[in-house]
């Protein structure tokens, strides 16, 4: 009888722990939550994919108007985390490129630190990063105080 109660208690505890682990992940439609998961190597690929999906849906709803409130809100909630993750995890070449591609679509000057880092490319490893970054910089309104740094990085 006592062992049966102990087994039930252990089973109940496992269910609670399992539910807690599932609940720890961001909702698929929560851009801030997904951006926060970019720091987790296991969750990063899923998070980048979800961010692309959310951005695409919002862009379609805004009919391509990047100044629309839902897109500005999306950028505010995601750019800082994407830049941080890109800079902190250069070993994740695949997801890093996807983050750069999303930042390129967003055309937000706050992505500049990641774009500049992407210009420090290695042949056959990260040259797509550099191409994406350089192409993106052609459409950004780069602040005057950053133009010298941008020109120097592109020249290098």
């Amino acid at each position: 009888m006592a062992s049966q109660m102990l087994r039930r208690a252990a089973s109940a505890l496992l269910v609670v722990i399992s539910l807690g682990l599932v609940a720890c992940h961001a909702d698929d439609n929560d851009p801030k939550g997904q951006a926060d998961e970019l720091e987790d190597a296991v969750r990063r690929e899923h998070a980048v994919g979800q961010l692309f999906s959310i951005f695409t849906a919002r862009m379609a709803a805004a009919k391509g108007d990047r100044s629309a409130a839902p897109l500005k809100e999306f950028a505010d909630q995601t750019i800082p985390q994407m830049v941080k993750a890109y800079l902190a995890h250069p070993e994740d070449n695949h997801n890093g490129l996807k983050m750069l591609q999303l930042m390129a679509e967003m055309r937000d000057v706050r992505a500049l630190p990641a774009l500049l880092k992407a210009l420090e490319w290695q042949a056959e490893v990260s040259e797509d990063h550099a191409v994406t970054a350089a192409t993106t910089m052609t459409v950004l309104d780069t602040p005057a105080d950053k133009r010298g740094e941008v020109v120097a990085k592109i020249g290098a």
Side-chain angles (χ1 to χ4, degrees), residues 85-144:
Y86 184 83
L87 295 175
H89 304 286
E91 75 285 351
D92 192 351
N93 190 42
H94 175 74
N95 288 312
L97 180 59
K98 287 183 176 231
M99 285 186 275
L100 279 175
Q101 290 167 337
L102 179 54
M103 288 186 273
E105 286 297 320
M106 294 168 71
R107 298 181 186 174
D108 191 302
V109 73
R110 291 175 289 179
L112 200 54
L115 298 171
L116 290 171
K117 184 66 177 171
L119 292 176
E120 299 171 12
W121 61 282
Q122 297 173 357
E124 297 182 27
V125 175
S126 60
E127 58 196 90
D128 289 339
H129 292 234
V131 171
T132 300
T135 303
T136 303
M137 286 188 223
T138 65
V139 296
L140 288 183
D141 186 18
T142 305

Side-chain angles (χ1 to χ4, degrees), residues 26-90:
D27 181 89
D28 281 349
N29 296 311
D30 174 15
K32 173 136 180 42
Q34 291 298 327
D36 288 342
E37 292 195 352
L38 294 171
E39 284 300 314
D40 182 342
V42 174
R43 301 284 304 159
R44 190 174 303 126
E45 186 169 2
H46 176 78
V48 172
Q50 288 308 118
L51 289 171
F52 255 108
S53 294
I54 296 166
F55 179 79
T56 301
R58 288 187 181 195
M59 182 69 112
K63 297 182 173 126
D65 179 9
R66 285 181 170 81
S67 66
L71 290 170
K72 289 178 67 75
E73 175 190 49
F74 179 86
D76 292 343
Q77 294 175 337
T78 61
I79 289 279
Q81 291 88 342
M82 279 195 290
V83 169
K84 181 180 174 188
Y86 184 83
L87 295 175
H89 304 286

